[in-house]
Each structure stands twice: as structure tokens, then as C-alpha cells.
Amino acid sequence: ENKGALTAGIKKIRRNKFAANTTIPPSEVVAQQAILLYTHLFTGISNFILNFNHYPFKLKLPEESVWVFPGQISFATQSTLNDQYKLKKGHGGWDYKNGVIFNNEAMIDFFKNPASARMASENAKNILEIANQDCHHTARLTLCSLAIQCFTMLFIANTGMNIAPLSQLEWETDNDFEIKKDAIQGFRAVKHRANGTIVEFHITSHFAPYFKQYLKLRKWILQGIEAPLFFTLDKKRKPKMINASLAFKLRKKLEKFNIKVPSAREWRAY
């Protein structure tokens, strides 16, 4: 996937004049880097989950590829691999560099204790087997939560919508929806009836396939539970309403990528 294909159609939309007039928008370089990162994480993770693929799997990112495991640390970027303290803290027997479970010799060398090394190896094999048998394993739900948050930020970047109205968008999973040509060239109008009310918003044409993929992921995670169109997951992996802290929390999660991620307010000014 090239840069143009991934970011095509995500335009500078200043629908929130207050944000545009009082907030300095991110530079084009910063915006494109963040959009690429969000898009790679969303598409890579959603494809993995919806196809019920097995761990470990290689996730392609803009600047590198990472191996993903069902462990305490889902994946390790190059910066994490260089930080032995962080890596050891969530090690779990995973070889994040090569995408395998460490062999016995490597385990002993890492843990400096044969008993600890043996236990880590057995635990890693058990966790891997369980995660590959359970399509709704906790590790998959954690990844899904990250993908949902990334798509939400992509949606904000694409529409310029505030968190408040975004959090109020209703959606009934089993109801049909329409994506039609908009009066504005290059845009599509999304229409859906939820709880007797017509929900309508506008997205760019190139963004429509990502939105459809999000709806599939949303249906997978909710399993029949009613929720707004956009939501986050609580500690029990249940949907809850999003709020203004969404962008900040996601930025903290993505610090490991060494890429500046704009705030929701900055996206609205973009």
C-alpha cells in the first residue's frame, strides 16, 4: 500500500470554525504520518480479527513491521526492542524480533534461571494455543479496542466532527444503511435509521471502504449488544461512551512509535 492510496480523500475539512481559528493545525507531514499509522493499525488488526487468523502474525506499519503475540505486550517496536527493561517486564517467552517462542537456550540466557525459563516457555505455548482457539480471546479484544480507537481518530480527521456529536451518533447493527453520492464532489452521504431517527453524516469517497470495514469490526466486538456508532471498551471489555480523553489516551498508547499524533482538536482544525 502506498502513501497516496492510504491517505487519498482525507482532506482538510474545517467544519468547526472555532477550532480552526484558535488551534494551530498539524503540519501536512505530521498529519500524514499519523493517518498512515492509524490506517495500518486499523486495517492490519481488523483483517486479523475478522479472518480469525492465528498468532503470531506480522503487522505492517509505515516505518517497520512488528510481530504480534497474545501476551502482556502485544508487539514490540524497534524502540521497545532496544529497551531491555520494558521488554523483560512483559517478555512472556516471546521472540518479538523473529515472531517465534524463544527456544530453551535463549530462554535460559534471557531469564538466567532454568526453572523460570522452562515455566515461561510452557506458559507461552499454552497462551498461544488458547488464543488461537478462541476467536474472542482477551488478547484479540485488546487489539480490537486499539483498532476501534484508531478508526475513530481517522473518522474525526475525515469529517472534522467534534467528540460530543460523534459520541451521540446512534447505530443499530442489524438495520440497513445507505452510502450515496453527496452534493459535494468527492464525498458520500451515509444515511441510517436508528431508534426511529435518521442518522446522516458525510465522509470522503475514499474513506467509505474503511467505514464498511469498521462496521464489520463493530458487529464482531458487540455480539448483539446495543451501543452508539462509536464507543470505547471498559476494563471488562464492555462498550462505553467515548469522551474527550479518547485522543489523549490513544496518543499515550502510540508513543512507542515515535510519531507525533495530533489531538482531536488539532484534527478538527486540519
Side-chain angles (χ1 to χ4, degrees):
E1 294 170 304
N2 60 57
K3 182 176 178 178
L6 283 171
T7 60
I10 299 182
K11 298 181 177 180
K12 296 181 179 180
I13 306 169
R14 287 190 170 89
R15 297 195 178 162
N16 186 317
K17 294 182 180 179
F18 179 79
N21 291 334
T22 62
T23 303
I24 299 175
S27 69
E28 194 66 28
V29 171
V30 168
Q32 294 299 321
Q33 286 180 334
I35 288 170
L36 278 173
L37 179 58
Y38 290 148
T39 306
H40 276 78
L41 286 169
F42 171 69
T43 55
I45 292 172
S46 61
N47 286 334
F48 168 74
I49 288 174
L50 294 174
N51 293 326
F52 190 28
N53 292 335
H54 282 185
Y55 286 102
F57 77 97
K58 203 169 192 177
L59 177 60
K60 183 181 179 183
L61 299 173
E63 301 297 330
E64 60 183 317
S65 292
V66 295
W67 283 100
V68 184
F69 289 91
Q72 183 179 345
I73 297 177
S74 296
F75 49 82
T77 61
Q78 189 58 52
S79 62
T80 305
L81 289 173
N82 294 335
D83 189 331
Q84 288 299 308
Y85 174 76
K86 285 184 179 179
L87 192 59
K88 191 166 186 176
K89 190 176 180 182
H91 181 272
W94 315 115
D95 182 350
Y96 289 97
K97 184 176 182 179
N98 299 302
V100 295
I101 296 174
F102 276 122
N103 59 34
N104 188 57
E105 182 179 346
M107 285 283 199
I108 294 175
D109 181 62
F110 191 91
F111 286 99
K112 311 302 182 186
N113 182 300
S116 297
R118 184 168 56 254
M119 183 178 296
S121 179
E122 292 175 356
N123 286 341
K125 291 175 183 177
N126 289 336
I127 292 171
L128 196 61
E129 182 178 358
I130 293 171
N132 283 335
Q133 291 176 347
D134 183 0
C135 66
H136 283 87
H137 187 271
T138 301
R140 293 179 186 270
L141 298 181
T142 299
L143 281 179
C144 183
S145 178
L146 176 59
I148 286 172
Q149 291 173 53
C150 286
F151 180 81
T152 303
M153 295 311 298
L154 283 172
F155 187 89
I156 290 172
N158 193 267
T159 63
M161 193 178 293
N162 292 327
I163 287 286
L166 179 115
S167 67
Q168 298 298 321
L169 290 175
E170 295 186 81
W171 199 268
E172 290 188 25
T173 304
D174 295 329
N175 285 4
D176 292 333
F177 66 94
E178 293 181 316
I179 298 182
K180 294 186 174 181
K181 283 187 177 181
D182 196 283
I184 304 174
Q185 186 175 2
F187 283 77
R188 293 290 184 269
V190 180
K191 293 185 178 182
H192 172 75
R193 179 176 290 275
N195 299 320
T197 303
I198 296 295
V199 178
E200 181 176 348
F201 50 86
H202 305 267
I203 59 177
T204 58
S205 303
H206 289 85
F207 194 64
Y210 296 104
F211 179 68
K212 292 177 181 179
Q213 178 84 342
Y214 170 72
L215 291 181
K216 293 178 182 177
L217 190 65
R218 179 183 179 276
K219 183 175 183 178
W220 178 89
I221 191 70
L222 289 176
Q223 299 185 75
I225 298 175
E226 291 296 325
L229 178 56
F230 294 101
F231 54 88
T232 57
L233 300 179
D234 61 22
K235 292 181 179 179
K236 294 183 178 180
R237 305 295 190 274
K238 300 298 182 182
K240 68 174 183 178
M241 185 172 291
I242 62 174
N243 55 45
S245 68
L246 170 71
F248 174 76
K249 291 179 178 178
L250 182 58
R251 290 171 78 185
K252 294 293 289 182
K253 288 182 182 179
L254 302 184
E255 283 179 347
K256 67 183 77 173
F257 296 104
N258 295 320
I259 292 176
K260 178 177 171 55
V261 178
S263 67
R265 189 179 183 85
E266 289 172 326
W267 276 126
R268 294 195 301 275
Y270 176 63

